[in-house]
Amino acid sequence: MTRTITRSYDNHETARSVVDQLEAAGISSSDISLVGRNGDGETNAAEGAGIGAGVGGAAGLLAGIGLLAIPGIGPVVAAGWLASTAAGAVAGAAAGGLVGSFVKEGHDKEEAEYYAETVRRGGSVVSVRTEPEHEATVEAILDGATPIDRSSREAEYRAGGWDRFDENAGPYRPPVV
């Protein structure tokens, strides 16, 4: 039975490296998704546009990266089935957007809202559909890149007043310290 395994990262560069490692390990690019922004809340649009050239002749996931506007998050650099599902939800005005996409792939609503909020706040998410015989490899690669610790990050979000992802929220602006 196919399972979806997802991790979030503080920066887009780490997430891109994870995608490269997954593909090098034989995971099909059709089973990998990447959605992200850089840390300042702006998209990596120029970087994203240049990724295809950077992978040369490789037919991997990053060659198909594009820009997508997601309600409550804004423009993101995205590739893969998760991005396609979110884009379809946005185009069809379906409820859920990115949160709905994560739920559709087997994450509970709380997890899905955490991942969407992480992207909203400048992080990146890598999500992989995998069969049981490949789960250990996928998890080793995802965890080897030091993903964000969900429990501590959620506690940080909640301490700042967050209780759920709001797709009607404006762009995230970090508090001035």
Side-chain angles (χ1 to χ4, degrees):
M1 182 172 143
T2 302
R3 179 174 160 224
T4 302
I5 303 171
T6 304
R7 300 290 188 273
S8 56
Y9 302 92
D10 278 320
N11 63 66
H12 193 68
E13 192 171 275
T14 301
R16 283 185 23 221
S17 172
V18 166
V19 169
D20 288 339
Q21 292 173 51
L22 288 163
E23 290 178 332
I27 306 301
S28 171
S29 60
S30 65
D31 291 328
I32 306 168
S33 280
L34 168 68
V35 178
R37 294 166 50 140
N38 69 13
D40 66 6
E42 299 299 319
T43 64
N44 291 6
E47 177 185 346
I51 288 174
V55 295
L61 174 77
L62 296 177
I65 203 157
L67 206 55
L68 174 67
I70 299 177
I73 296 175
V76 296
V77 175
W81 49 266
L82 186 61
S84 298
T85 305
V90 169
L98 190 57
V99 172
S101 298
F102 282 118
V103 170
K104 182 178 180 236
E105 292 304 319
H107 293 289
D108 65 41
K109 191 168 189 315
E110 186 176 296
E111 278 180 307
E113 289 186 349
Y114 159 75
Y115 289 126
E117 185 67 16
T118 297
V119 172
R120 179 177 175 266
R121 292 180 185 231
S124 290
V125 174
V126 176
S127 199
V128 183
R129 290 177 176 161
T130 187
E131 297 298 324
E133 62 270 20
H134 301 294
E135 284 182 18
T137 299
V138 168
E139 287 182 334
I141 292 169
L142 292 171
D143 293 340
T146 315
I148 297 169
D149 178 74
R150 180 177 160 211
S151 297
S152 60
R153 188 58 57 91
E154 266 189 343
E156 180 183 311
Y157 291 168
R158 292 185 191 291
W162 180 83
D163 66 345
R164 66 175 182 78
F165 177 75
D166 179 2
E167 70 177 34
N168 296 314
Y172 178 73
R173 303 280 184 241
V176 178
V177 185

